[in-house]
Amino acid sequence: MKTTLSLLTCSAITLLMQTSADGQTTSNQAIENPLEEIVVVANRVPVPLKQIGTSISVLNEQEIRAYGNSALTDVIRQLPATGVSRSGGMGTQTSLRIRGEEGFRTLALFDGLKLSDPAGTQVGPQLEHVMSSGVDKIEVLRGPQGLSYGADAGGVINISSRRDIEGLTGSLNGQSGSFGTDQLAASIGGGNEIGDFYVTATDFETDGFNTRISDAELMDDDGYSNTTVHARAGFNLGEGFRFDIVHRDVQGETEFDGCYSGGTVHDCDSNYDLEATRISGSYSNENMSHSLAYSSTDTESQNYALGVPGFSSIGELDRVEYIGNLNNLPGFDLVFGADFEEEFANGETRDNEGYYLEVLSDFSDSLFFTAGIRQDENDDFGSHTSYRLSTAYLISLGSSNTLKVKASFGTGFRAPSLSEMAYNGGLFAYPPASLVVLTEESSDGFEIGAEYFIGNDLRLEAVYFDQEVEDAIYFDAASFSGYLQNLGVSTSEGFELTADYTLNANWQLLATYTFNETERPNGQQRLRRPEQLANLGVSYSGLDNRLNINAFYRVSKDSVDAVFGSPVDYVLDNFDVLDMTARFKLTETIEIVGRLENAFDEAYQEILDYNSPEQASYIGIRVSF
């Protein structure tokens, strides 16, 4: 980490010597036509939204700040078809499910870094340790359409730090409030024709609250601390060549209930450390682009029960990836690539090689097609082929009215994780799990929808989706014997409705509704998947844009969870939560921020036997230049 930070410091000094003090960023300039917004998450290369047949949600820095949440999952959960279940407060185990699929199927990348932890129970991102500060843009690809990322991507979250910076810019944020919460965040970035850099650091600490309802003995608070440093630097080497380096360091410490040591469920701690680095080189011109990258992610977790070390895990993910793009072929573009991954988890290793090719049509201004195929070679589970098809069709209904019709279909597979296989073959497993030979899961997903645009003032979207996972792997919660496999199909289908309406220069409305019907092979509802999710957002800007008030109301209905040892599911109560944020600019560079979370003081559970935060208030200050 010291070497990386030294390189970043040198690049910062070089840029500071050649930039003016009145720097500005252009990353959040208003887009006159939303259909022309460029996104990367769908095809791994920049593509206008009008050409994309899959469903994409995008948030910029201004919108992320409007939500105001410290945890990134609390921002993303307010997007269509996105559910979150968290076992208590900040830093506790969190699953983010897109269209009802498992949280470990959600792939998360930050400036190209794959945040997956190979030493986890499943190879998925530890999103509970990702803070919202320092995030400039979020792109979410909904559904199992992540062909070029890997065959097991059932949804992709592409997170970006600030780019396209001119001159020098920076900010300092401080916040304090309920549950003994304190947060300090700082960022600095700069850019010119030579290159650009951005560094952000966050220090977060909270005393928390009692997370476990069954912890009636002590009723102790369960706190969390997080220290994150994320740094990126890029250098333009001339003639289309560029070199980039990204480094991320996260240290999180979580107090929780439920280690069941010494006959109690309290006084449990978990330490999480992540160090990840990605270096890449690229070349591009008007006809093509090529990128080669290497990344290494090291994770370590250590659990403590009553101060005594317990379960620990060590993981490493080494990845080499190449992405190529030919973009001036007659009538179509080509995107192609290869990736090689080596997973290490607690002494076990496994390799996976992937190759993919995707054709993007470019013969029409209104009709677009994509067709892609991927081949994976897995050390333990052999060869697998997956594919994706999509289409989008634009219909002009006037000078500023456009209807976009879209559809897509994709397939994938997931190999059992090294941890799942090791547990079933280890000392703690017993029948029936110890007798099960785990095999790979397969999945597919279909969607069809329409989007309607009136200039930049109104966007309406309606999407129907239908997806399934065959032979899903799950933990035996009835007898704790290990990992079992649902021999059959687990389904998830429903529809999403979204409306984004700018009434005038002062008011904006945002509403989403998702109906998601899920089913296991035994006919029962899949656990912790609400059938109904709804969000309503209202934003006001006044006093020459010095005052901004944002209110976000979310509703969750019809969710079930399992009672350990019982075949009967428990119906969780419906709940609704209102969060509000207000920002007032004292000057062009100083801003006061106030926030009220769970304004109705709703008592609710996302996971059986786990509390959620009560009403909380926070106040902070932001200084920028």
Side-chain angles (χ1 to χ4, degrees), residues 11 101 127 208 235 261 268 293 324 371 385 390 404 495 504 542 591 594:
S11 68
E101 291 307 332
L127 291 175
F235 304 90
S261 175
C268 313
T385 302
S390 74
K404 173 184 171 183
F495 59 88
N504 51 45
E591 182 179 70

Side-chain angles (χ1 to χ4, degrees), residues 111-183:
D111 284 339
L113 272 173
K114 190 173 181 179
L115 299 183
S116 298
D117 180 5
T121 305
Q122 291 85 21
V123 183
Q126 303 285 348
L127 291 175
E128 59 265 30
H129 299 295
V130 182
M131 310 298 288
S132 65
S133 57
V135 175
D136 183 67
K137 188 176 183 180
I138 303 170
E139 300 176 353
V140 179
L141 175 65
R142 308 198 296 272
Q145 308 290 344
L147 176 93
S148 55
Y149 296 94
D152 59 346
V156 180
I157 301 173
N158 188 43
I159 308 166
S160 302
S161 62
R162 181 171 293 180
R163 296 175 182 268
D164 301 324
I165 302 173
E166 298 177 359
L168 181 67
T169 183
S171 66
L172 181 65
N173 300 270
Q175 174 182 276
S176 294
S178 300
F179 308 122
T181 300
D182 293 299
Q183 177 174 306

Side-chain angles (χ1 to χ4, degrees), residues 35 50-53 364-369 390-396 402-407 449-451:
L35 284 167
K50 67 181 181 181
Q51 300 183 19
I52 296 174
S364 170
D365 292 331
S366 58
L367 182 61
F368 307 96
F369 295 98
S390 74
T391 183
Y393 180 53
L394 302 180
I395 303 172
S396 177
T402 304
L403 177 66
K404 173 184 171 183
V405 182
K406 60 183 181 180
E451 297 177 75

